[in-house]
């Protein structure tokens, strides 16, 4: 993804990727639902594929799911915030 | 054909005739390795090992860890001048060419991929060992070799693709000369099942990404080796090392995502996804990596004399 993207756009894109992953309309994905919880029902392969899609889309590196002590992914909003943080870091790095 | 099946892919394999399964492996497994060597050169170490490295400490880089692995395999196989070595599933020549450069042995490799053969032979010429190296595109079960005609047989990351293990071990037992060595470096299931072996993730890595894989228990493999008349000399766990190797490969896929996508659209995601499944399996020890050394008759090396670091000391 090129150019400066704002946080609302990131939330919308992340939500759309999650909706794709569970084959649901975007409106069916509440922002506070846990991405790796039973409500969405994404299995471990689904989470891996989603993470790779997010990395491809935003040109960032997501936290290592296999790291010792790796925490759960959190809500849609939290994942979007994490992405926004990474995108901001990349853009700050790229501007140097 | 075989008793215990752990996964859907294995159950399907058990329903095929041996000849049909061989044909299935030839097609399904080769597909992954037929991708451009240029892609793998962006992801793997400079010799293109598609197997675990050996790390002295977790901070080490991939090139160092693979170099240590090559040297370790060379020490274990202990190839003397003129000895004949067979590398089953030689890939792009990682171990085979290292061993050719570091011994005066004579080498034959087989792979299911013509692309791999071509790249390995190109490297053999560039590195001045071509006169002692031959490579064929061939399924292991189609090899026609005289009994007791080889001094060493190597399977690095390849036996996992072979369903018909009893036949393969019997063949190794026949083909090795007395004093011959076999080395396997590959992936096994723990006997006490941890994790779901019929999960979408297992199916993805074993079938969708890699064509066909059959993980058995370490003890099952060792028993087949012993039944074929070999003695087990040394077994070591490299599970943590494979998790580390995969972390390096995944980072390299990330770094080169655009280039890989330009060569083979969709393949960067396949690599990152299957490597992440594998990395998580090794990190959680739902899959285990072992290096096995066995001999036919009296051993030429003595594992009891190999260095193990003393407490507070260095190896
Ligand atoms: C993961 S790669 C390992 C390559 C190499 N040994 C290394 O350590 O870098 C697996 C290799 O096994 C080969 N292979 C898999 N099944 C085979 C079979 N039935 N007969 C011959 N080669 C096979 C593949 O073509 C590929 O070259």
């Amino acid at each position: 993804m090129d150019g400066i993207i704002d946080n609302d756009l990131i939330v919308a894109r992340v939500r759309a990727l999650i909706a794709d992953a569970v084959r649901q309309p975007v409106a069916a994905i509440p922002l506070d639902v846990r991405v790796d919880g039973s409500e969405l029902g994404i299995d471990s392969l689904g989470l891996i594929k989603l993470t790779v899609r997010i990395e491809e889309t935003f040109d960032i590196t997501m936290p290592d799911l296999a790291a010792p002590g790796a925490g759960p992914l959190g809500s849609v909003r939290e994942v979007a915030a994490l992405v926004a943080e990474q995108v901001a870091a990349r853009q700050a790095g790229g501007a140097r | 054909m075989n008793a215990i099946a752990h996964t859907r892919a294995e159950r399907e394999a058990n329903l095929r005739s041996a000849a049909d399964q061989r044909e299935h492996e030839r097609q399904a497994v080769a597909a992954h390795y037929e991708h451009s060597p240029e892609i793998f050169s962006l992801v793997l170490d400079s010799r293109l090992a598609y197997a675990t490295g050996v790390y002295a400490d977790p901070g080490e880089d991939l090139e160092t860890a693979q170099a240590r692995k090559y040297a370790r395999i060379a020490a274990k196989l202990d190839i003397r001048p003129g000895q004949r070595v067979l590398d089953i599933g030689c890939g792009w020549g990682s171990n085979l060419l290292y061993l050719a450069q570091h011994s005066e042995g004579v080498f034959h490799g087989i792979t299911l991929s013509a692309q791999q053969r071509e790249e390995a032979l190109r490297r053999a010429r560039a590195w001045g060992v071509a006169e002692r190296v031959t490579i064929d595109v061939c399924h292991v079960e189609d090899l026609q070799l005289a009994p007791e005609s080889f001094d060493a047989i190597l399977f690095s990351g390849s036996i996992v693709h072979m369903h018909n293990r009893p036949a393969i071990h019997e063949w190794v037992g026949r083909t090795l000369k007395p004093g011959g060595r076999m080395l396997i470096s590959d992936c096994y299931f723990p006997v006490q099942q941890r994790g779901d072996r019929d999960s979408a993730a297992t199916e993805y890595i074993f079938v969708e990404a890699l064509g066909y894989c059959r993980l058995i228990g370490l003890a099952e493999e060792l028993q087949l080796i012993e039944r074929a008349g070999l003695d087990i000399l040394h077994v070591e766990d490299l599970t943590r090392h494979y998790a580390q190797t995969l972390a390096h490969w995944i980072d390299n896929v990330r770094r080169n995502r655009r280039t890989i996508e330009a060569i083979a659209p969709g393949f960067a995601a396949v690599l990152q996804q299957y490597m992440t499944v594998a990395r998580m399996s090794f990190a959680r020890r739902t899959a285990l990596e072992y290096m096995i050394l066995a001999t036919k008759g009296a051993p030429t090396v003595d594992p009891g004399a190999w260095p193990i670091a003393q407490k507070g000391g260095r190896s």
Side-chain angles (χ1 to χ4, degrees):
Chain A
M1 232 187 184
D2 291 309
I4 304 291
I5 44 179
D6 67 27
N7 287 357
D8 288 348
L9 192 53
I10 289 175
V11 173
R13 293 293 298 257
V14 167
R15 196 176 175 196
L17 290 175
I18 293 167
D20 275 353
V22 293
R23 294 190 185 82
Q24 298 268 331
V26 171
I29 313 294
L31 285 179
D32 47 15
V33 73
R34 283 192 42 161
V35 173
D36 51 8
S38 56
E39 275 159 276
L40 289 185
I42 310 183
D43 65 7
S44 75
L45 179 64
L47 286 175
I48 290 170
K49 288 185 168 175
L50 174 64
T51 309
V52 172
R53 283 292 289 141
I54 291 175
E55 290 196 2
E56 284 174 345
T57 306
F58 296 98
D59 194 14
I60 57 168
T61 297
M62 290 290 281
D64 184 353
L65 296 167
L73 270 179
S75 66
V76 176
R77 204 190 305 275
E78 284 166 338
V79 170
L82 194 75
V83 171
E85 223 172 81
Q86 297 275 322
V87 169
R90 173 171 59 74
Q91 287 172 341
R96 234 180 277 132
Chain B
M1 229 160 32
N2 287 287
I4 317 158
H6 297 287
T7 63
R8 195 177 68 78
E10 268 180 74
R11 289 191 289 277
E12 284 174 7
N14 280 338
L15 298 175
R16 295 187 188 105
S17 71
D20 284 348
Q21 174 62 17
R22 192 179 319 156
E23 222 37 60
H24 178 76
E25 290 172 14
R26 212 193 305 278
Q27 303 301 326
V29 174
H32 183 85
Y33 301 105
E34 281 286 275
H35 279 92
S36 168
E38 196 187 332
I39 294 175
F40 293 96
S41 72
L42 296 169
V43 177
L44 310 178
D45 66 305
S46 61
R47 288 182 180 272
L48 303 185
Y50 211 6
T52 189
V54 176
Y55 293 81
D57 74 79
E60 232 165 42
D61 65 28
L62 178 64
E63 195 70 17
T64 307
Q66 292 295 5
R68 182 176 298 103
K69 187 271 300 287
Y70 301 130
R72 197 180 199 85
I73 289 180
K76 288 183 177 186
L77 289 180
D78 186 31
I79 298 154
R80 309 285 167 79
Q83 288 196 331
R84 285 162 52 85
V85 181
L86 197 52
D87 186 353
I88 304 295
C90 63
W92 303 275
S94 57
N95 293 301
L96 185 153
L97 296 177
Y98 178 93
L99 294 170
Q101 289 173 285
H102 293 83
S103 77
E104 291 165 50
V106 179
F107 294 82
H108 185 59
I110 62 167
T111 165
L112 295 175
S113 156
Q115 287 256 37
Q116 289 191 323
R117 172 180 182 270
E118 203 176 301
E119 176 63 19
L121 287 176
R122 191 185 67 71
R123 289 169 175 242
R125 287 189 296 271
W127 297 344
V129 294
E131 75 286 353
R132 288 184 290 119
V133 168
T134 53
I135 296 172
D136 286 337
V137 173
C138 177
H139 190 289
V140 62
E141 292 173 59
D142 291 335
L143 274 174
Q144 307 276 338
L145 298 169
E148 307 202 338
S149 55
F150 278 86
D151 298 281
I153 301 181
L154 172 61
F155 296 84
S156 167
S158 56
I159 207 163
V160 74
H161 289 304
M162 301 167 194
H163 182 76
N164 196 359
R165 298 289 180 75
I168 287 166
H169 288 295
E170 282 162 27
W171 166 82
V172 169
R174 282 196 307 275
T175 306
L176 279 179
K177 294 181 190 175
R181 288 80 72 197
M182 176 183 67
L183 190 146
I184 298 175
S185 180
D186 228 312
C187 186
Y188 294 87
F189 272 144
V191 167
Q192 283 186 6
Q193 181 167 342
R194 310 165 193 144
D196 181 3
R197 292 173 187 174
D198 267 319
S199 69
T202 309
E203 175 88 3
Y204 181 78
I205 187 168
F206 289 176
V207 178
E208 207 173 318
L210 298 175
Y212 183 79
C213 295
R214 178 176 190 215
L215 269 64
I216 61 177
L218 173 65
E220 290 177 75
E221 193 95 277
L222 296 182
Q223 190 169 49
L224 291 171
I225 295 170
E226 292 184 318
R227 282 202 184 128
L230 274 61
D231 298 343
I232 309 294
L233 208 58
H234 190 259
V235 178
E236 62 185 329
D237 174 278
L238 294 174
T239 307
R240 179 180 72 80
H241 301 261
Y242 215 150
Q244 187 63 35
T245 303
L246 283 155
H248 284 136
W249 292 348
I250 291 166
D251 280 343
N252 289 338
V253 172
R254 286 185 173 122
R255 254 195 291 281
N256 295 289
R257 192 187 309 284
R258 292 222 174 84
T259 317
I260 298 171
E261 282 299 297
I263 302 170
F267 195 55
V270 170
L271 288 175
Q272 189 177 349
Q273 285 161 186
Y274 105 73
M275 287 173 179
T276 304
V277 174
R279 172 159 155 67
M280 290 175 74
S281 307
F282 288 128
R284 295 173 181 166
R285 296 185 68 83
T286 54
L288 306 171
E289 178 75 13
Y290 288 106
M291 193 182 278
I292 304 167
L293 179 66
T295 68
K296 183 166 168 177
T300 58
V301 293
D302 179 9
W306 289 344
I308 289 188
Q310 302 300 310
K311 203 166 186 193
R314 307 173 72 96
S315 61

Coordinates of all heavy atoms in Angstrom, one line a residue, chain B residues 44-77:
Chain B
L44 N 16.8 -19.1 1.0 CA 17.7 -20.0 1.7 C 19.1 -19.5 1.8 O 19.4 -18.4 1.3 CB 17.7 -21.4 0.9 CG 16.3 -21.9 0.6 CD1 16.4 -23.2 -0.2 CD2 15.4 -22.1 1.9
D45 N 20.0 -20.3 2.4 CA 21.5 -19.9 2.4 C 22.1 -20.0 1.0 O 21.4 -20.5 0.1 CB 22.2 -20.9 3.4 CG 22.2 -22.3 2.9 OD1 21.1 -22.8 2.6 OD2 23.3 -22.9 2.8
S46 N 23.4 -19.7 0.9 CA 24.0 -19.6 -0.4 C 24.1 -21.0 -1.1 O 24.1 -21.0 -2.3 CB 25.3 -18.9 -0.3 OG 26.2 -19.7 0.5
R47 N 24.1 -22.1 -0.3 CA 24.2 -23.4 -0.9 C 22.8 -24.0 -1.1 O 22.7 -25.1 -1.6 CB 25.0 -24.3 -0.1 CG 26.5 -24.1 -0.1 CD 27.3 -25.1 0.7 NE 28.7 -24.9 0.7 CZ 29.5 -25.4 -0.3 NH1 29.0 -26.2 -1.2 NH2 30.8 -25.2 -0.2
L48 N 21.8 -23.3 -0.8 CA 20.4 -23.7 -1.0 C 20.0 -24.9 -0.2 O 19.3 -25.8 -0.8 CB 20.0 -23.8 -2.5 CG 20.3 -22.6 -3.4 CD1 19.8 -22.9 -4.8 CD2 19.6 -21.4 -2.9
A49 N 20.4 -25.0 1.0 CA 19.9 -26.1 1.9 C 18.4 -25.9 2.1 O 18.0 -24.8 2.6 CB 20.6 -26.2 3.2
Y50 N 17.6 -26.9 1.8 CA 16.1 -26.8 2.1 C 15.9 -27.8 3.2 O 15.1 -28.8 3.1 CB 15.3 -27.2 0.9 CG 14.0 -26.4 0.8 CD1 13.6 -25.5 1.7 CD2 13.1 -26.8 -0.3 CE1 12.4 -24.8 1.6 CE2 11.9 -26.1 -0.4 CZ 11.5 -25.1 0.5 OH 10.3 -24.5 0.4
A51 N 16.6 -27.6 4.3 CA 16.5 -28.4 5.5 C 17.1 -27.6 6.7 O 17.6 -26.5 6.5 CB 17.3 -29.7 5.3
T52 N 17.1 -28.2 7.9 CA 17.5 -27.4 9.0 C 18.9 -27.1 9.1 O 19.8 -27.8 8.5 CB 17.1 -28.2 10.3 OG1 17.3 -27.3 11.5 CG2 17.9 -29.4 10.5
G53 N 19.3 -26.0 9.7 CA 20.6 -25.6 10.0 C 20.9 -26.1 11.4 O 20.0 -26.7 12.1
V54 N 22.1 -25.9 11.9 CA 22.5 -26.2 13.3 C 23.1 -25.0 14.0 O 24.1 -24.5 13.5 CB 23.4 -27.4 13.4 CG1 23.9 -27.7 14.8 CG2 22.8 -28.7 12.8
Y55 N 22.4 -24.5 15.0 CA 22.8 -23.2 15.6 C 23.5 -23.5 16.9 O 23.0 -24.2 17.8 CB 21.5 -22.4 15.9 CG 20.8 -21.9 14.7 CD1 20.0 -22.8 14.0 CD2 21.0 -20.6 14.2 CE1 19.3 -22.3 12.8 CE2 20.4 -20.2 13.0 CZ 19.5 -21.1 12.3 OH 18.9 -20.7 11.2
A56 N 24.7 -22.8 17.1 CA 25.4 -22.9 18.4 C 24.7 -22.0 19.4 O 24.7 -22.3 20.5 CB 26.8 -22.6 18.2
D57 N 24.2 -20.8 18.9 CA 23.4 -20.0 19.7 C 22.3 -19.4 18.9 O 22.5 -19.2 17.7 CB 24.2 -19.0 20.5 CG 24.7 -17.9 19.6 OD1 23.9 -16.9 19.3 OD2 25.9 -17.9 19.2
P58 N 21.1 -19.1 19.5 CA 20.0 -18.7 18.7 C 20.2 -17.4 17.9 O 19.4 -17.1 17.0 CB 18.9 -18.4 19.8 CG 19.4 -19.2 21.0 CD 20.9 -19.1 21.0
G59 N 21.2 -16.6 18.3 CA 21.4 -15.3 17.6 C 22.2 -15.5 16.2 O 22.3 -14.5 15.5
E60 N 22.6 -16.7 16.0 CA 23.4 -16.9 14.8 C 22.7 -16.7 13.5 O 21.5 -16.9 13.5 CB 23.9 -18.4 14.9 CG 25.4 -18.5 14.7 CD 25.9 -19.9 15.1 OE1 25.2 -20.8 14.8 OE2 26.9 -19.9 15.8
D61 N 23.4 -16.4 12.4 CA 22.7 -16.2 11.1 C 22.6 -17.6 10.4 O 23.2 -18.6 10.8 CB 23.4 -15.2 10.3 CG 24.8 -15.5 9.8 OD1 25.1 -16.7 9.7 OD2 25.6 -14.6 9.6
L62 N 21.7 -17.6 9.4 CA 21.4 -18.8 8.6 C 22.6 -19.4 7.9 O 22.8 -20.6 8.0 CB 20.3 -18.4 7.6 CG 19.8 -19.5 6.6 CD1 19.1 -20.6 7.4 CD2 18.9 -19.0 5.6
E63 N 23.4 -18.5 7.3 CA 24.6 -19.0 6.6 C 25.5 -19.8 7.5 O 26.0 -20.9 7.2 CB 25.3 -17.8 6.0 CG 26.3 -18.1 4.9 CD 25.7 -18.6 3.6 OE1 24.5 -18.4 3.4 OE2 26.5 -19.2 2.8
T64 N 25.8 -19.3 8.7 CA 26.6 -19.9 9.7 C 26.0 -21.3 10.1 O 26.7 -22.3 10.3 CB 26.8 -19.0 10.9 OG1 27.3 -17.7 10.5 CG2 27.8 -19.6 11.9
A65 N 24.7 -21.3 10.4 CA 24.1 -22.5 10.9 C 24.1 -23.6 9.8 O 24.2 -24.7 10.1 CB 22.6 -22.1 11.3
Q66 N 23.8 -23.2 8.6 CA 23.9 -24.2 7.5 C 25.3 -24.7 7.3 O 25.5 -25.9 7.1 CB 23.3 -23.7 6.2 CG 21.8 -23.4 6.3 CD 20.9 -24.6 6.4 OE1 21.4 -25.7 6.6 NE2 19.6 -24.4 6.4
A67 N 26.3 -23.8 7.4 CA 27.7 -24.3 7.3 C 28.0 -25.3 8.3 O 28.7 -26.3 8.1 CB 28.6 -23.1 7.3
R68 N 27.6 -25.0 9.6 CA 27.8 -26.0 10.7 C 27.1 -27.3 10.4 O 27.7 -28.4 10.6 CB 27.3 -25.4 12.0 CG 27.6 -26.4 13.2 CD 27.3 -25.8 14.5 NE 28.0 -24.6 14.9 CZ 27.6 -23.4 14.8 NH1 26.3 -23.2 14.5 NH2 28.3 -22.4 15.1
K69 N 25.9 -27.3 9.8 CA 25.2 -28.5 9.5 C 25.9 -29.3 8.4 O 26.1 -30.5 8.6 CB 23.8 -28.1 9.0 CG 22.8 -29.3 8.8 CD 22.9 -29.8 7.4 CE 22.6 -28.9 6.3 NZ 21.1 -28.5 6.2
Y70 N 26.4 -28.6 7.4 CA 27.2 -29.4 6.3 C 28.4 -30.1 6.9 O 28.6 -31.3 6.6 CB 27.7 -28.4 5.2 CG 26.6 -27.7 4.5 CD1 26.6 -26.3 4.3 CD2 25.5 -28.3 4.0 CE1 25.7 -25.6 3.6 CE2 24.5 -27.6 3.3 CZ 24.6 -26.3 3.2 OH 23.6 -25.6 2.5
A71 N 29.1 -29.3 7.7 CA 30.3 -29.9 8.4 C 29.9 -31.1 9.3 O 30.7 -32.1 9.3 CB 31.1 -28.9 9.1
R72 N 28.8 -31.0 9.9 CA 28.4 -32.1 10.8 C 28.0 -33.3 10.0 O 28.4 -34.4 10.4 CB 27.1 -31.6 11.5 CG 26.7 -32.3 12.8 CD 25.5 -31.6 13.3 NE 25.1 -31.9 14.7 CZ 25.6 -31.2 15.7 NH1 26.6 -30.3 15.5 NH2 25.2 -31.5 16.9
I73 N 27.3 -33.1 8.9 CA 27.0 -34.3 8.1 C 28.2 -34.9 7.5 O 28.4 -36.1 7.4 CB 26.0 -33.9 7.0 CG1 24.6 -33.6 7.6 CG2 25.8 -35.0 5.9 CD1 23.5 -33.2 6.6
A74 N 29.2 -34.1 7.1 CA 30.4 -34.6 6.5 C 31.2 -35.4 7.6 O 31.7 -36.5 7.3 CB 31.3 -33.4 6.0
A75 N 31.2 -34.9 8.8 CA 31.9 -35.7 9.9 C 31.2 -37.0 10.1 O 31.9 -38.0 10.3 CB 32.0 -34.8 11.1
K76 N 29.9 -37.0 10.1 CA 29.2 -38.2 10.4 C 29.3 -39.2 9.3 O 29.5 -40.4 9.6 CB 27.7 -37.9 10.6 CG 27.4 -37.2 11.9 CD 25.9 -37.0 12.1 CE 25.6 -36.3 13.5 NZ 24.2 -36.2 13.7
L77 N 29.3 -38.8 8.1 CA 29.4 -39.7 6.9 C 30.9 -40.2 6.7 O 31.1 -41.2 6.1 CB 28.8 -39.2 5.7 CG 27.3 -39.0 5.7 CD1 26.7 -38.4 4.4 CD2 26.6 -40.4 6.0

